């Protein structure tokens, strides 16, 4: 297990590595000889290794600084989990998010109202936006490298996944 990364020092570390990360991004896009599938496989393998080394509850930054979107099925699932009506969930925890027609709600508060002791109290029924947040297991990693470089500022897992392949 890696020593927990201090969420306060992470942006400083990421800033110090930003130029190298952008260089790595250019390399992946222009010079890397791996196919898209081979690169995805490599990223998935590195992500598995990092996942085994990092405990997200030591940081919980996502739940502390981002407001995830909720699709209709997310609202229904979470309302069921909390044993409240759909409308009560919306009125209590969510507000309209007009930028995303597929996920028209967003949490009202930061940090997440569902974060308890650095753990998601509704983890099994969290919104899809949270479930896929890292996007490290999604296909075509190279197409998301700008967002991955940005993610190094807030997520120790993304930071490590960007660092390990460079070695």
């Amino acid at each position: 297990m890696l020593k927990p990364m201090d969420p306060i020092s992470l942006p400083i570390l990421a800033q110090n590595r930003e130029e190298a990360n952008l260089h790595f991004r250019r390399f992946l896009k222009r010079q890397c000889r791996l196919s898209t599938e081979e690169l995805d496989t490599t990223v998935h393998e590195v992500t598995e290794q990092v996942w085994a080394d990092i405990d997200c509850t030591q940081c919980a930054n996502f739940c502390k600084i981002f407001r995830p979107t909720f699709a209709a099925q997310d609202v229904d699932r979470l309302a069921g989990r909390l044993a409240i009506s759909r409308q009560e969930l919306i009125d209590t925890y969510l507000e309209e998010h007009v930028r995303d027609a597929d996920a028209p709600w967003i949490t009202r508060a930061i940090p997440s109202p569902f974060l308890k002791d650095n753990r998601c109290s509704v983890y099994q029924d969290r919104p899809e936006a949270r479930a896929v947040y890292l996007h490290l297991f999604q296909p075509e990693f190279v197409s998301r490298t700008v967002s991955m470089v940005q993610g190094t500022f807030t997520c120790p897992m993304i930071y490590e996944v960007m660092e390990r392949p460079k070695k």
Side-chain angles (χ1 to χ4, degrees), residues 75-92:
V75 172
D76 293 338
R77 188 175 58 252
L78 190 54
R81 162 80 174 233
L82 298 173
I84 60 176
S85 73
R86 179 180 209 281
Q87 194 59 52
E88 188 176 353
L89 177 76
I90 292 168
D91 291 345
T92 305

Side-chain angles (χ1 to χ4, degrees), residues 6-20:
D6 175 15
I8 294 171
S9 65
L10 181 60
I12 297 164
L13 292 170
Q15 182 67 48
N16 291 339
R17 301 298 300 150
E18 186 174 31
E19 187 57 41

Side-chain angles (χ1 to χ4, degrees), residues 11-49:
I12 297 164
L13 292 170
Q15 182 67 48
N16 291 339
R17 301 298 300 150
E18 186 174 31
E19 187 57 41
N21 285 334
L22 292 172
H23 179 75
F24 184 55
R25 175 186 182 272
R26 285 189 296 274
F27 168 79
L28 292 176
K29 287 195 154 297
R30 298 180 186 151
Q31 296 171 303
C32 183
R33 293 199 169 116
L34 297 176
S35 69
T36 299
E37 294 79 18
E38 290 170 320
L39 179 59
D40 287 348
T41 298
T42 299
V43 169
H44 296 168
E45 289 170 356
V46 169
T47 300
E48 293 272 349
Q49 294 165 6

Side-chain angles (χ1 to χ4, degrees), residues 9 57 66 79 129 155:
S9 65
T57 65
F66 292 112
C155 179

Side-chain angles (χ1 to χ4, degrees), residues 101-156:
D102 293 331
W105 296 282
I106 192 165
T107 54
R108 291 182 187 273
I110 298 174
S112 168
F114 309 111
L115 184 65
K116 309 289 184 223
D117 299 322
N118 264 11
R119 294 187 184 276
C120 179
S121 63
V122 296
Y123 186 80
Q124 295 302 321
D125 296 300
R126 68 197 185 280
E128 182 67 19
R130 284 213 166 141
V132 300
Y133 161 63
L134 294 174
H135 306 288
L136 295 168
F137 289 109
Q138 303 294 320
E140 299 188 27
F141 173 79
V142 75
S143 69
R144 292 183 311 284
T145 51
V146 167
S147 64
M148 291 295 107
V149 171
Q150 292 168 343
T152 64
F153 285 79
T154 56
C155 179

